[in-house]
Amino acid sequence: MEIEKEVKKITLGHEIGAGAACLKCKDKCEGFELHFWRKICRNCKCGVEDHDVQLETEENKKVGKLFEDTKYTGLIAKLKRDGIPSYKGNQVTICIPEATISTATPVPAASFIPGSSQTSTPSAHSAHSQPGGATAAPGAAIHSPSAAPATSHTAAPGTGRTAASAPGHSVVSSSAIPAKVPVAATTVVQVPTPVPAKTDVVKSVTYEWAPPGVNQSLALRYMELLPPERRPIAGTTGADYRKKQMAKQLPDHDQDPERCHELSPGEVKQMQQYVRKYKDEALGIGDITLPEEMGQQAGMAGESGPQGLGAGGKPGAGTTGMPGDKGDAIATMGRVGTPGAAGTLPAGPVGNFSCHRCQLPMKKGEPAVYAERAGYDKLWHPACFVCYTCTELLVDMIYFWKKGQLYCGRHYGDSEKPRCAGCDELIFSNEYTQAEGHNWHLKHFCCFDCDCVLAGETYVMENEKPVCKPCYMKIHAVCCTACQNPIEPEAQRVSYGEYHWHAEPQCFQCSCCSKCLVGQRFMAMQGMLLCSMECKKKIAAS
């Protein structure tokens, strides 16, 4: 019964992503089928991250497991919900108003005058319009804009005086010439010409991940400072990059013995001690802060260490969101994060703060990354928060701190333990094989094609992978142009472009006179070997 449970567990584990198309090999791969210990597809030899496998749930479980049972209070505050250590990708949709140009028709101030009769005449016909005037109503203020040059004002019938001489009247007259012929009091207004006007159009951008625990404007500015091809916007190469780095930088078999292949009880104990060590001494997650805020906190904290930190371990960390809030976080904002914008300080160097990696000065108002393990005196530009070994952006700002440097999970593990080139797992046993510049579990130094053990056998390195001789002859060997037989790996051969020959008299000879060309000068023509110009002419003439 126990054996059946274990077999079922293994089967279910290998059903993850089964049949998914390979994004690299396309139709050449029949679909994802996980190798039982190599962590690659059995059909195309590509990794799971190269296939169209939805790993969102698995990734969340992996990161949750990574931070489980840590005594690092800043991380627990950031990743704990309802008392249960958990993690969900902080997917955020941000709505950004963008100024666009539209057409608007302005309304002139004199388009309506109380108590007057008005006639609107298109400007195309204004030259043929009869000039008119506006009745001077008692107590009215008449405004005739200069935009209506045909407008004139006359006294209302029966008043006996012009509008300008009426007591108690305020008249603002245009420079138009008054009409000499009395007509009905009207105002002729030209139709205004449409003019461009700015309006705001909301643009929504969904990030597969965004820094948690900070306000949306700061998170957006952080994203803008990343290289465009590294921004995890849903449906872009940046999101694919994050997915691949999540699989590469944080191998689940580096933290969970159950994800490893056939560990002995002693190896399981050693791995548990290794995991406990990095959780206590190295594991961390970066926080976004402003250099000026960090300077203030550093001055107050002195040498007291990381005490009194906000959520996530950052001084003054906000409480605007939790990493578990996924998909439903929508914020609307204007143009934010630029130097001089509302709520920020003018751009410029901040004290003695410089980026720990590039050594360039930090600027006020520009988001910086802070790593609690590194201390108050170190900050990084968002694009500089990378692994010391592979120089790739640290996925979701998860880092491992060792000897003054940041590492991703994979390369921190490589600095602590040898890694098997066959199964990609860390080696916790005392005995292992070193071959071809790599480390191997004793049982994993196998043929990359058929998995046969290579100890004491002849093998060939093909694309940095060991291959047994039968598989090499069947799959990888090139054929001799002369005899059409595959060339053995240990045999001497001559290659010229895409053509290959056994380095033997019966194969590497002149195609015209059969002279042996081993160690001699030769000419090649369409796969034929020639010893001289005479032979070349004979072949050309035949």
Side-chain angles (χ1 to χ4, degrees):
M1 211 44 201
E2 292 297 324
I3 295 177
E4 290 180 0
K5 289 182 179 179
E6 290 298 319
V7 171
K8 184 176 181 181
K9 179 180 179 182
I10 294 173
T11 302
L12 290 174
H14 282 64
E15 287 178 354
I16 297 174
C22 181
L23 303 175
K24 185 181 293 185
C25 301
K26 306 297 181 181
D27 295 337
K28 294 180 180 179
C29 177
E30 298 177 1
F32 183 71
E33 182 182 354
L34 185 64
H35 189 281
F36 67 102
W37 56 265
R38 284 195 189 273
K39 320 295 189 298
I40 59 173
C41 175
R42 298 186 64 171
N43 293 322
C44 66
K45 311 298 185 183
C46 295
V48 62
E49 67 275 8
D50 295 316
H51 290 75
D52 189 19
V53 180
Q54 301 302 317
L55 293 173
E56 185 178 342
T57 302
E58 293 299 315
E59 289 173 353
N60 291 339
K61 289 180 181 179
K62 176 172 65 176
V63 178
K65 182 76 174 178
L66 181 66
F67 290 105
E68 187 179 16
D69 297 329
T70 60
K71 297 179 181 179
Y72 191 20
T73 56
L75 293 179
I76 288 295
K78 180 183 287 290
L79 300 176
K80 197 171 184 179
R81 258 184 119 184
D82 302 327
I84 303 173
S86 63
Y87 181 87
K88 289 187 178 180
N90 189 39
Q91 188 182 77
V92 177
T93 298
I94 300 177
C95 300
I96 312 169
E98 289 191 341
T100 58
I101 303 299
S102 61
T103 302
T105 303
V107 179
S111 61
F112 176 76
I113 301 174
S116 68
S117 172
Q118 303 176 5
T119 303
S120 176
T121 305
S123 58
H125 303 285
S126 59
H128 307 286
S129 299
Q130 182 78 13
T135 303
I142 303 176
H143 304 275
S144 177
S146 60
T151 303
S152 63
H153 304 278
T154 62
T159 60
R161 56 180 176 264
T162 63
S165 62
H169 289 64
S170 174
V171 178
V172 181
S173 178
S174 69
S175 59
I177 300 174
K180 297 181 180 180
V181 181
V183 293
T186 60
T187 301
V188 179
V189 182
Q190 290 182 335
V191 175
T193 304
V195 295
K198 289 186 177 181
T199 58
D200 284 342
V201 175
V202 176
K203 174 186 176 183
S204 295
V205 179
T206 298
Y207 292 94
E208 293 289 343
W209 172 87
V214 299
N215 64 68
Q216 297 286 347
S217 61
L218 197 61
L220 178 60
R221 183 57 181 149
Y222 165 85
M223 290 297 182
E224 291 173 347
L225 293 175
L226 296 180
E229 68 278 7
R230 296 292 184 257
R231 298 168 190 167
I233 300 174
T236 66
T237 55
D240 293 337
Y241 170 80
R242 176 182 173 268
K243 172 186 172 183
K244 290 182 178 181
Q245 292 305 311
M246 179 66 75
K248 184 177 181 180
Q249 294 186 17
L250 302 173
D252 49 7
H253 47 269
D254 277 15
Q255 57 172 299
D256 189 355
E258 294 182 359
R259 298 284 186 170
C260 297
H261 180 67
E262 296 181 353
L263 293 181
S264 67
E267 290 172 329
V268 170
K269 185 176 180 180
Q270 286 192 46
M271 184 173 184
Q272 291 173 341
Q273 293 172 348
Y274 160 77
V275 172
R276 184 72 268 158
K277 177 185 175 183
Y278 74 63
K279 287 187 175 183
D280 291 342
E281 300 177 5
L283 178 63
I285 186 167
D287 271 302
I288 303 300
T289 186
L290 295 175
E292 55 269 25
E293 292 181 0
M294 182 60 71
Q296 296 170 2
Q297 287 291 332
M300 290 188 295
E303 300 297 328
S304 61
Q307 301 293 327
L309 302 178
K314 179 179 73 66
T319 57
T320 58
M322 291 291 292
D325 299 335
K326 173 177 172 57
D328 54 356
I330 301 178
T332 304
M333 65 193 71
R335 294 187 177 276
V336 295
T338 55
T344 65
L345 296 176
V350 181
N352 295 323
F353 274 111
S354 60
C355 176
H356 184 63
R357 182 170 186 267
C358 71
Q359 301 303 313
L360 294 177
M362 312 301 292
K363 295 182 178 180
K364 291 183 180 180
E366 294 285 345
V369 184
Y370 160 70
E372 187 175 357
R373 294 281 188 186
Y376 287 108
D377 60 333
K378 297 178 181 66
L379 290 177
W380 288 261
H381 293 117
C384 292
F385 200 65
V386 299
C387 172
Y388 177 71
T389 301
C390 63
T391 68
E392 297 288 351
L393 283 177
L394 292 168
V395 64
D396 291 12
M397 296 196 298
I398 297 171
Y399 69 88
F400 292 74
W401 182 254
K402 180 179 179 180
K403 295 181 179 179
Q405 298 296 342
L406 297 168
Y407 292 89
C408 65
R410 170 175 294 277
H411 291 113
Y412 172 82
D414 291 348
S415 71
E416 291 285 315
K417 299 286 182 180
R419 186 179 297 276
C420 177
C423 67
D424 196 48
E425 296 174 14
L426 297 176
I427 300 174
F428 293 96
S429 60
N430 294 326
E431 296 182 352
Y432 58 93
T433 299
Q434 288 185 321
E436 304 296 335
H438 297 286
N439 304 305
W440 314 77
H441 285 113
L442 295 177
K443 57 189 176 184
H444 288 166
F445 188 59
C446 304
C447 173
F448 191 66
D449 292 321
C450 70
D451 291 332
C452 71
V453 178
L454 295 175
E457 302 292 335
T458 300
Y459 67 89
V460 183
M461 292 301 292
E462 189 69 24
N463 297 322
E464 299 185 355
K465 304 293 183 183
V467 177
C468 68
K469 184 176 178 180
C471 284
Y472 175 83
M473 295 296 291
K474 180 181 178 181
I475 302 172
H476 305 286
V478 295
C479 290
C480 176
T481 304
C483 68
Q484 297 301 312
N485 293 322
I487 303 175
E488 296 80 0
E490 65 272 13
Q492 290 186 334
R493 66 181 178 182
V494 179
S495 298
Y496 184 81
E498 59 183 4
Y499 300 104
H500 310 275
W501 297 267
H502 286 104
E504 299 175 359
Q506 63 270 27
C507 291
F508 196 64
Q509 58 177 290
C510 178
S511 300
C512 180
C513 65
S514 300
K515 176 185 176 180
C516 177
L517 297 176
V518 177
Q520 304 295 319
R521 294 172 64 88
F522 69 93
M523 293 180 290
M525 185 177 69
Q526 296 178 351
M528 294 185 292
L529 296 172
L530 301 169
C531 64
S532 63
M533 287 299 297
E534 289 75 12
C535 287
K536 180 179 180 181
K537 291 177 181 179
K538 290 179 182 180
I539 292 293
S542 61

